[in-house]
Amino acid sequence: MAQLRRDYENFVKLDTEILVAGPENAEAFRKYWEKENLPFIGLPDPGHRVLKLYGQEVKLFKLGRLPAQMIIDKSGKVRFVHYGHSMMDIPENRELLDLLETQLTK
Amino acid sequence: MPRVELNVQAPDFTLNDFNGNSVSLSDYKNKKNVMVVFNRGFF
């Protein structure tokens, strides 16, 4: 999250909004967002509705305790998916920004 | 490796943000790219 926070402005420049979903409730989100001063849109999803949807409909994700990440372009298509194998297994911002810059700016 | 079919249409979803505002993936269609991060109980 700190990594994304640092590069948030670069994502914004590339017309990209960041949504963070998680199982905590709204109060836990609010506290964390205030403490860390996060600019992202925080989406409490205690029932893992979105993960389940993506697991079932497009088989991108399964439930579990590992992080996952995807980028959806302006036409609504999935263009990048990362499914973590550990808590530390997250893609580099540079990789994400390169994709946005070279392929998804139009 | 990601177990992916890329370039599929992303299923739409709607959730309330922690301030109670409704947020749908389709709100961003033709406007912005969206990166969705799924945290699994980090905080």
Side-chain angles (χ1 to χ4, degrees):
Chain A
M1 294 285 262
Q3 188 195 87
L4 283 181
R5 170 83 190 83
R6 200 170 57 238
D7 273 327
Y8 182 69
E9 299 305 325
N10 291 322
F11 284 96
V12 170
K13 274 184 208 154
L14 295 170
D15 272 352
T16 304
E17 189 58 78
I18 299 179
L19 312 182
V20 179
E24 289 81 7
N25 64 24
E27 192 51 34
F29 263 86
R30 184 178 298 105
K31 280 186 187 155
Y32 190 76
W33 254 238
E34 283 174 5
K35 177 167 159 266
E36 303 291 333
N37 192 26
L38 297 176
F40 321 126
I41 293 175
L43 301 174
D45 185 12
H48 286 301
R49 281 172 41 205
V50 176
L51 272 174
K52 282 179 190 162
L53 176 70
Y54 277 78
Q56 287 159 6
E57 287 202 11
V58 285
K59 310 218 181 306
L60 293 183
F61 300 121
K62 58 183 181 182
L63 283 173
R65 298 278 300 170
L66 297 170
Q69 201 159 339
M70 65 181 170
I71 291 175
I72 295 148
D73 70 13
K74 292 178 189 177
S75 77
K77 289 196 171 69
V78 179
R79 300 294 300 271
F80 174 90
V81 171
H82 182 85
Y83 192 89
H85 292 282
S86 75
M87 287 300 202
M88 301 307 293
D89 182 11
I90 53 174
E92 291 288 334
N93 287 348
R94 192 63 258 160
E95 182 187 348
L96 303 171
L97 291 165
D98 279 350
L99 171 75
L100 289 163
E101 194 163 7
T102 56
Q103 295 186 39
L104 304 186
T105 43
K106 291 292 176 286
Chain B
M1 291 299 288
R3 50 197 66 108
V4 185
E5 306 139 60
L6 283 176
N7 302 316
V8 293
Q9 200 69 22
D12 194 22
F13 61 83
T14 303
L15 288 170
N16 286 342
D17 71 12
F18 60 81
N19 293 313
N21 304 307
S22 175
V23 176
S24 296
L25 182 63
S26 52
D27 295 345
Y28 299 96
K29 194 162 185 182
N30 299 320
K31 294 177 191 158
K32 287 187 176 183
N33 306 302
V34 180
M35 180 156 77
V36 186
V37 179
F38 296 100
N39 270 335
R40 312 289 182 92
F42 274 24
F43 48 92

